[in-house]
């Protein structure tokens, strides 16, 4: 019961903090949510011109219409919350539209550095979509991305608990994962990369089941893991790496621990679990473009680098490899310096008493390296500066497993320092949403103080909705409210004095895990 209580507190803590940092970015995936719920269609024709990734089908496509160049998975996952809340959204939008006069053309957006944002805002307000878009973005963060990311933190807690660490250490590592890695940054708006990370680590947890903490039968766990792999592919074609590698891990594990026949049965269950999302992807592509097997990228118009390889996907290059890791705007090691421990973790774990089988450690690195190599072949890696680090998100939870084990074995000063620096970097990026880079976000946080992205955006357009609000609204009252709610989560019913008095985040743990 105590463990279950910790899981609930961890989940609601992460959900609350992720949701409070909601970013107002309205991305291509949002348009498909709207189209499915409001029109029962995948066609995005009425939104052409509002987003650069929405294009009209070329004459070579068997079907007409307009679509975007991405897989539909995360949009489909975000459909239920908007479907449920759509009547409320309709009422709010109708009331706002009724309050506007026929000559209400005011479109003030105070951000001189982002001309495209002003143009987008002017277009959506002219079309009467501004409030609806804002509410859809908020709903998909609060009821889709934030709880998904929070759930992955609980998975990480259960994983370290199953490995053999005590609840305090497992909780501390789960909090580090949530708030000192790019998970925090990406949880603030709808995106497929973090979704793949969540599906991938959940599938791995189901198949591995360290400590046998999960009470589901092996067959059920294998089928659900297949569903997670299929959802990864449905969300993005890079998710095919997860689908294949999880299946390979399952087959190898069953072969080594049981029999070849057992491996075949397990893979059959895994395949049946994955079949639904895979068939949905083929259905989406057939309905949208008239061909079930060609990806959306096949039909998109020419863009920069499209001539390289297949639609911009060629062979891996050292240049892109280096950008993914070290670019000052979106490099993994720059955005979260704690990830550097992944490089030294094999040596640290080799010298210490192993608490995780090398097969599982090897799988974590194989999956992470697979994503790194794959995206070092994708030319659009260069565009990450627009929204920040995202392509390597699926690798983050898998790298964090050896990182977490290493944090408890390296000198305490180094561990705390890396956690602190990474938290500052990630939190600054999350608040500032800077296109200039990580260092710029940190410097602005130091000079301007903390922010909440949604409040910042609302302040910039307050002339239309709250003309009494002049200048930038202070986030401090909201941070105070957030603090009160967090205290309530952790003090509700049974105070967690033993947990609060122990070292939650990091300790040099050389004794037996869980002792």
């Amino acid at each position: 019961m105590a463990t279950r209580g910790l899981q609930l507190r961890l989940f609601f803590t992460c959900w609350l903090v992720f949701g409070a940092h909601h970013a107002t970015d309205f991305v291509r995936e949002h348009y498909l949510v709207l189209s499915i719920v409001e029109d029962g269609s995948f066609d995005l024709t009425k939104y052409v011109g509002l987003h650069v990734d929405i294009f009209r089908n070329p004459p070579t496509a068997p079907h007409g219409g307009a679509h975007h160049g991405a897989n539909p998975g995360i949009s489909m996952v975000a459909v239920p919350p908007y479907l449920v809340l759509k009547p409320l959204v309709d009422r709010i939008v109708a009331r706002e539209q009724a309050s506007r006069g026929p000559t209400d053309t005011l479109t003030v957006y105070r951000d001189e550095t982002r001309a495209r944002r002003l143009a987008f805002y002017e277009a959506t307000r002219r079309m009467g979509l501004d409030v609806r878009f804002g509410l859809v973005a908020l709903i998909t963060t609060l009821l889709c991305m934030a709880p998904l990311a929070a759930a992955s933190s609980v998975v990480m807690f259960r994983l370290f608990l199953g490995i053999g660490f005590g609840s305090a250490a497992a909780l501390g590592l789960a909090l580090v994962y949530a708030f000192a890695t790019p998970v925090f940054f990406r949880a603030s708006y709808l995106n497929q990369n973090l979704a793949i990370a969540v599906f991938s680590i959940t599938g791995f947890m189901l198949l591995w089941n360290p400590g046998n903490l999960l009470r589901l039968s092996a067959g059920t766990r294998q089928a659900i893991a297949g569903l997670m792999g299929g959802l990864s592919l449905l969300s993005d074609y890079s998710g095919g790496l997860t689908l294949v590698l999880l299946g390979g891990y399952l087959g190898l594990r069953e072969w080594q621990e049981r029999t070849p026949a057992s491996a075949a049965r397990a893979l059959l269950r895994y395949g049946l679990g994955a079949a639904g999302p895979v068939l949905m992807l083929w259905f989406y592509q057939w309905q949208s473009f008239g061909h079930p097997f060609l990806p959306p990228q096949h039909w998109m118009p020419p863009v920069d680098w499209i001539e390289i390889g297949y639609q911009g996907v060629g062979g891996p290059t050292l240049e892109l490899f280096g950008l993914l890791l070290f670019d000052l705007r979106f490099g993994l090691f720059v955005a979260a310096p704690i990830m550097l421990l992944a490089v030294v973790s094999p040596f640290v774990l080799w010298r210490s008493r192993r608490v995780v089988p090398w097969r599982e450690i090897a799988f974590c690195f194989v999956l992470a390296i697979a994503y790194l190599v794959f995206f070092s072949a994708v030319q659009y890696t260069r565009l990450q500066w627009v929204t920040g680090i995202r392509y390597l998100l699926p690798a983050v939870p898998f790298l964090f497993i050896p990182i977490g084990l290493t944090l408890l074995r390296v000198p305490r000063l180094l561990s705390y320092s890396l956690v602190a620096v990474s938290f500052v970097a990630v939190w600054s990026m999350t608040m500032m949403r800077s296109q200039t880079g990580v260092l710029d976000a940190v410097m602005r946080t130091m000079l301007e103080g903390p922010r909440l992205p949604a409040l910042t955006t609302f302040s910039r357009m307050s002339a239309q909705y709250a003309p009494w609000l002049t200048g930038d609204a202070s986030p401090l009252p909201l941070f105070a409210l957030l603090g009160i709610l967090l205290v309530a989560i952790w003090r509700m019913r049974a105070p967690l004095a033993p947990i609060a008095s122990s070292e939650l985040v990091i300790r040099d743990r050389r004794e037996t895990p869980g002792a």
Side-chain angles (χ1 to χ4, degrees):
M1 182 63 69
T3 298
R4 185 176 301 173
L6 283 177
Q7 290 178 111
L8 289 173
R9 286 169 167 81
L10 172 63
F11 175 81
F12 284 111
T13 295
C14 294
W15 189 2
L16 187 61
V17 175
F18 293 155
H21 289 80
H22 161 64
T24 56
D25 303 59
F26 202 82
V27 295
R28 62 187 177 186
E29 287 77 12
H30 282 120
Y31 294 94
L32 187 55
V33 175
L34 284 163
S35 182
I36 292 173
V37 173
E38 298 182 357
D39 305 320
S41 169
F42 301 140
D43 189 2
L44 306 179
T45 297
K46 66 182 183 181
Y47 302 116
V48 170
L50 291 180
H51 196 286
V52 294
D53 285 346
I54 297 176
F55 58 87
R56 297 186 184 277
N57 287 9
T60 55
H63 290 179
H67 303 86
H68 63 55
N71 288 12
I74 190 57
S75 298
M76 292 179 174
V77 173
V79 160
Y82 179 49
L83 182 64
V84 171
L85 293 177
K86 183 178 181 296
L88 175 61
V89 172
D90 289 342
R91 286 197 294 271
I92 295 173
V93 170
R95 178 175 296 182
E96 170 63 21
Q97 290 298 111
S99 68
R100 297 180 185 178
T103 60
D104 185 358
T105 58
L106 184 65
T107 52
V108 176
Y109 187 87
R110 295 183 293 105
D111 188 353
E112 296 77 11
T113 63
R114 308 285 287 274
R116 287 179 59 181
R117 287 200 170 193
L118 174 58
F120 172 76
Y121 176 64
E122 289 177 337
T124 55
R125 185 166 171 81
R126 184 173 62 252
M127 298 169 68
L129 295 172
D130 51 329
V131 174
R132 184 175 300 276
F133 278 16
L135 292 174
V136 168
L138 181 63
I139 290 169
T140 53
T141 294
L142 296 184
L143 299 179
C144 180
M145 290 311 303
L148 275 178
S152 75
S153 302
V154 175
V155 169
M156 197 62 66
F157 170 73
R158 290 294 296 269
L159 192 149
F160 282 113
L161 205 63
I163 288 172
F165 291 112
S167 57
L171 176 63
L173 289 172
L175 290 170
V176 173
Y177 162 78
F179 300 117
T181 74
V183 169
F184 189 8
F185 174 65
R186 277 289 155 188
S188 57
Y189 69 94
L190 195 66
N191 65 99
Q192 75 273 37
N193 306 100
L194 178 57
I196 294 173
V198 176
F199 300 146
S200 300
I201 194 61
T202 302
F204 183 52
M205 175 66 176
L206 287 163
L207 295 179
W208 180 13
N209 192 20
N212 295 315
L213 295 180
L214 301 177
R215 298 181 180 180
L216 298 172
S217 68
T220 301
R221 288 189 286 104
Q222 291 157 6
I224 298 175
L227 176 65
M228 294 297 104
L231 286 173
S232 297
L233 178 64
L234 182 61
S235 297
D236 190 82
Y237 268 97
S238 65
L241 295 173
T242 290
L243 178 63
V244 171
L245 290 174
L246 281 181
Y249 167 75
L250 172 60
L252 176 64
R253 181 185 177 91
E254 290 293 315
W255 188 295
Q256 289 180 336
E257 297 184 356
R258 292 177 177 82
T259 64
S262 175
R265 288 192 296 270
L267 286 174
L268 177 60
R269 298 185 197 103
Y270 181 85
L272 290 174
V278 173
L279 290 174
M280 177 57 72
L281 176 62
W282 292 345
F283 174 75
Y284 169 80
Q285 292 174 166
W286 172 66
Q287 283 284 93
S288 299
F289 306 105
H291 196 294
F293 305 125
L294 291 177
Q297 293 86 348
H298 179 84
W299 310 102
M300 67 184 187
V303 294
D304 290 341
W305 311 299
I306 200 171
E307 73 282 357
I308 298 176
Y310 175 69
Q311 299 294 91
V313 181
T317 69
L318 287 176
E319 178 195 6
L320 295 177
F321 192 94
L323 290 176
L324 285 164
L325 295 178
F326 299 107
D327 191 281
L328 294 179
R329 298 164 296 177
F330 54 77
L332 178 64
F333 294 155
V334 178
I338 197 174
M339 304 306 293
L340 284 165
L341 281 182
V343 178
V344 301
S345 61
F347 306 100
V348 174
L349 297 178
W350 181 264
R351 291 173 60 88
S352 63
R353 189 178 62 78
R354 290 181 295 170
V355 296
V356 176
W358 279 111
R359 179 182 58 201
E360 278 66 33
I361 289 294
F363 177 80
C364 290
F365 282 107
V366 167
L367 186 139
I369 292 171
Y371 274 95
L372 179 58
V373 172
F374 176 82
F375 282 113
S376 68
V378 178
Q379 294 297 316
Y380 310 115
T381 291
R382 307 173 192 276
L383 296 176
Q384 280 187 95
W385 64 270
V386 176
T387 60
I389 179 173
R390 67 184 182 98
Y391 285 133
L392 289 185
L393 258 294
V396 168
F398 290 89
L399 290 177
F400 191 79
I401 294 172
I403 287 172
L405 297 172
T406 303
L407 275 173
L408 303 179
R409 286 168 171 77
V410 299
R412 192 176 293 181
L413 177 61
L414 175 60
S415 296
Y416 281 113
S417 298
L418 283 172
V419 169
V421 170
S422 293
F423 170 72
V424 169
V426 172
W427 191 33
S428 297
M429 290 191 304
T430 304
M431 290 189 293
M432 295 298 171
R433 321 301 300 183
S434 172
Q435 289 187 311
T436 306
V438 180
L439 297 180
D440 175 68
V442 173
M443 289 301 299
R444 287 176 58 193
T445 299
M446 298 299 179
L447 295 174
E448 301 173 16
R451 290 184 178 181
L452 289 173
L455 182 61
T456 299
T457 299
F458 183 75
S459 296
R460 289 171 176 171
M461 59 177 65
S462 60
Q464 287 74 235
Y465 313 102
W468 46 267
L469 181 62
T470 58
D472 293 333
S474 172
L476 295 182
L478 293 178
F479 276 118
L481 176 60
L482 177 62
I484 292 171
L485 293 174
L486 291 176
V487 170
I489 288 172
W490 288 96
R491 304 297 296 184
M492 190 178 300
R493 291 187 181 177
L496 300 182
I499 296 298
S501 62
S502 60
E503 292 182 35
L504 291 182
V505 180
I506 298 166
R507 55 179 170 172
D508 187 8
R509 193 182 181 91
R510 303 186 187 278
E511 69 274 18
T512 302

